[in-house]
Every structure is written in C-alpha cells, then in structure tokens.
Amino acid sequence: MSATVSMLRSAPRTAVRSYSSSSQPQRKVTILGAAGGIGQPLSLLMKLNPLVSSLSLYDIAGTPGVAADVSHVNTLAQVSGFAGEEQLGKALEGSDLVIIPAGVPRKPGMTRDDLFNINAGIVKSLSAAIAKFCPNALVNMISNPVNSTVPIAAEVFKKAGMFDEKKLFGVTTLDVVRAKTFYAGKANVEASEVDVPVVGGHAGITILPLFSQVNLKSKTLSDEEIKALTKRTQDGGTEVVEAKAGKGSATLSMAYAGAIFADACLKGLNGAPDVVECSFVQSSVTELPFFASKVRLGKNGVEEVLGLGPLSDYEKQGLQSLIPELKASIEKGIKFAKES
C-alpha cells in the first residue's frame, strides 16, 4: 500500500489522536495556486495529511471559498485562505513547506514550453515573495515547465541571497506514478508493489523511466514493451490533455503525486529515516546543473542526491538524447530570471 493511500484511509483517526500529542512537530504548509485545477484537490489531500497542522491556501482569487470548503474536513490541520497579492506575505509567513501549482494549464496542442511566457513570470514573482517571507521553507515546484521554473526560482533566490540548493525541488513524482501504473498494467502486478525510478527532467523525452531497475525482478518485459512503456510515460501529460478535449490537463493525478512528494518532504523534516523520492534538483549527477534522480530527504531538505545506478543500453541512449533538450530548458529559465 502506498504512503498516500494509507494516509487517505487513516487520516481522520490519526489526526484526532494528534491533538493530544505533544511530540508531533507543528508544520505549516502553504499552497500557492490553491484555487486552481491542481490546487483544489491538492488542498484537500494536504488537509488529510496528519503531519500538517496549519494549511495556508493562496491564490489571486477564489481561495476563501476553497478554504471554507476544505476546512470542514474533520482532520488536524487548521485552514486559512488568502486572496490577492496584498495577502501573499501573510499566507507565506512561518511556512515549513511551500507547494507551487500556480499558473495556467496545458491545452490541446500546447507544449510545456508554450506555457513558459505566462508561468515563468508567475513563478518569478512568487519566488521573490518566498525569499522575503519564508526563506527557510522547502519549496516544491509543480508549475510547468518544471525544467525551466526550478532554475528560475533558483536564480531569484540567489539574487535575494538566500538560495539553498537543499530546499528547492521540482516535483516529478507524477512521472514516477505513471511509470509504476503503466508497468503494473503490462506486467499484471499490483501498482502499489512497483518501484521504478524516473530520472532526467519533466517534459517529453527528458523523462527517462529506468524500467531496468524495477524492483519486481520476476517480471520480465520485452524490449519493445519497455520502449512502449517509456513512450507512454513521456507522453502521459499529453494523453490526459487530449482525453479532456480542451477542458483541462492532468490535475487530479498531479495533485495526488504532489501530495505524495509533500508527504515525503514533511517526513524528512520530521526526521523519519530512509525517505527517498525522485525529484528535479541541483545536481552533479550529470554535466547539467539540475537533474531529476533519487534524492534522500531529511531535516534540511536534500540530504543526498543519489546516482543513476546501472543503466540498460536503451536507457543510456535515452540519457544522451535528453541532455541537449534539458540543457536548453534549464538555460532558458536562467536567462529569463536574469534578464527580466
């Protein structure tokens, strides 16, 4: 059973118990973009998390209603809603973890780069506010294109003199969730039993699932099946955008994946041992300054960026193919942050 499935089933009972527990750290989580398609279900999932004591929901509009709705759920977290730029500072103050799903979603025919000009500016302004009001918070970046928005945030933090590479994460967990689900369907096993690392970036061919490292060694898929699963994982976002026919992108599955990664970050902050998730972080695993790979989480955020491990020939080829595109996306984000 996955951590989040377990969390969803046990949250109300656990949360009630937590009121009388003095050993439970008080953790404030803030969601920027909480009234959006990802933000609303993510707000609900974080309200169900017993590690959250204060849930701060921010958006340019609509958040008082979302906060009122979510606040009626009988779990531990106290919910506050904030709307408009004048309330952004109050929303962020004292945050241990900030999750950013803000921005516009993908529509049919759009690539993640098509989102850049709109979302880049949003991420830059929100990052500046984080630097001012909660510089020690962990930051989980969901806003696309993640391959560029994480470097943008890093540059904003550097300019403010408070960049800590251990505290900035690009959330690539949805790629992992998809890889697990698609592999399980093909191998006819329980998805909750599958573990597949996904490395690289968070768009198209930069997404590289390492199916050669799947934990279920008893199940062997053909090379063609692996190639098809890799392609489907890379195109998972497009699959949802097209299926929704112009009425949205991957919001529910992204909220689920965001909640999984946020939960891992909170467990790390609280000192839980052996918390490992894939994430797009500052890295020396390759020649690129940012790269997604397994990361060990702890009280300071990133405790250790783990290596790629042994790769198949197909994965080695995929790694070489993704480098130029990922490099260009990273450089695009850095250039925007420095010049705008």
Side-chain angles (χ1 to χ4, degrees):
M1 184 184 296
S2 73
T4 300
V5 172
S6 176
M7 177 186 80
L8 294 181
R9 290 179 177 175
S10 63
R13 185 175 64 252
T14 306
V16 172
R17 271 206 312 267
S18 297
Y19 278 115
S20 62
S21 174
S22 60
S23 62
Q24 173 102 347
Q26 298 293 300
R27 296 296 183 193
K28 178 179 177 179
V29 174
T30 298
I31 299 175
L32 304 182
I38 297 170
Q40 290 198 41
L42 180 57
S43 297
L44 174 61
L45 291 171
M46 296 314 296
K47 178 71 167 86
L48 295 176
N49 191 315
L51 301 181
V52 180
S53 55
S54 175
L55 183 60
S56 174
L57 306 181
Y58 171 84
D59 214 318
I60 54 175
T63 19
V66 176
D69 195 357
V70 171
S71 71
H72 292 179
V73 175
N74 61 319
T75 57
L76 172 65
Q78 299 298 300
V79 182
S80 300
F82 302 91
E85 289 185 23
E86 66 279 1
Q87 294 189 7
L88 178 55
K90 190 173 181 181
L92 287 169
E93 285 176 347
S95 298
D96 297 289
L97 172 64
V98 179
I99 312 172
I100 312 178
V104 299
R106 287 176 68 193
K107 296 177 182 178
M110 291 179 71
T111 66
R112 285 180 173 84
D113 272 345
D114 291 331
L115 302 175
F116 181 88
N117 289 332
I118 299 173
N119 288 356
I122 293 171
V123 166
K124 185 178 180 183
S125 63
L126 293 176
S127 297
I130 291 168
K132 181 177 181 180
F133 294 105
C134 56
N136 295 317
L138 301 190
V139 178
N140 289 2
M141 184 68 68
I142 292 175
S143 303
N144 276 317
V146 166
N147 293 352
S148 299
T149 55
V150 169
I152 288 171
E155 289 301 316
V156 172
F157 295 156
K158 288 175 184 176
K159 186 175 181 179
M162 51 68 64
F163 177 57
D164 183 346
E165 69 274 12
K166 295 181 178 181
K167 297 182 182 295
L168 176 61
F169 303 88
V171 180
T172 60
T173 313
L174 183 51
D175 301 324
V176 177
V177 166
R178 287 174 173 150
K180 291 177 178 181
T181 300
F182 301 159
Y183 181 92
K186 184 62 69 174
N188 195 28
V189 295
E190 288 286 342
S192 60
E193 297 176 358
V194 178
D195 188 19
V196 182
V198 181
V199 303
H202 185 56
I205 67 164
T206 71
I207 300 167
L208 183 60
L210 304 181
F211 288 113
S212 70
Q213 297 181 23
V214 69
N215 59 323
L216 303 177
K217 298 301 182 184
S218 60
K219 303 290 182 179
T220 303
L221 301 183
S222 69
D223 290 346
E224 290 306 311
E225 288 174 319
I226 293 298
K227 288 180 181 178
L229 287 174
T230 299
K231 177 68 172 170
R232 189 180 179 198
T233 303
Q234 292 171 336
D235 293 342
T238 302
E239 182 179 315
V240 175
V241 168
E242 292 177 351
K244 289 190 174 182
K247 295 184 178 180
S249 58
T251 54
L252 302 176
S253 54
M254 184 63 250
Y256 170 79
I260 287 177
F261 189 73
D263 182 62
C265 287
L266 291 170
K267 286 177 178 174
L269 283 175
N270 290 352
D274 300 320
V275 181
V276 176
E277 293 286 344
C278 291
S279 182
F280 186 67
V281 297
Q282 182 167 303
S283 171
S284 59
V285 168
T286 68
E287 67 264 33
L288 300 180
F290 297 91
F291 199 82
S293 64
K294 283 186 174 182
V295 174
R296 191 180 311 280
L297 301 169
K299 292 184 177 181
N300 298 307
V302 175
E303 292 293 332
E304 182 182 8
V305 178
L306 304 177
L308 301 181
L311 306 181
S312 68
D313 289 342
Y314 176 68
E315 291 161 356
K316 290 176 182 177
Q317 179 184 349
L319 178 61
Q320 292 306 309
S321 297
L322 73 82
I323 293 291
E325 182 171 323
L326 183 52
K327 181 180 180 182
S329 295
I330 293 170
E331 290 177 346
K332 185 175 183 178
I334 293 172
K335 181 180 180 182
F336 174 85
K338 287 184 175 181
E339 295 182 356
S340 64

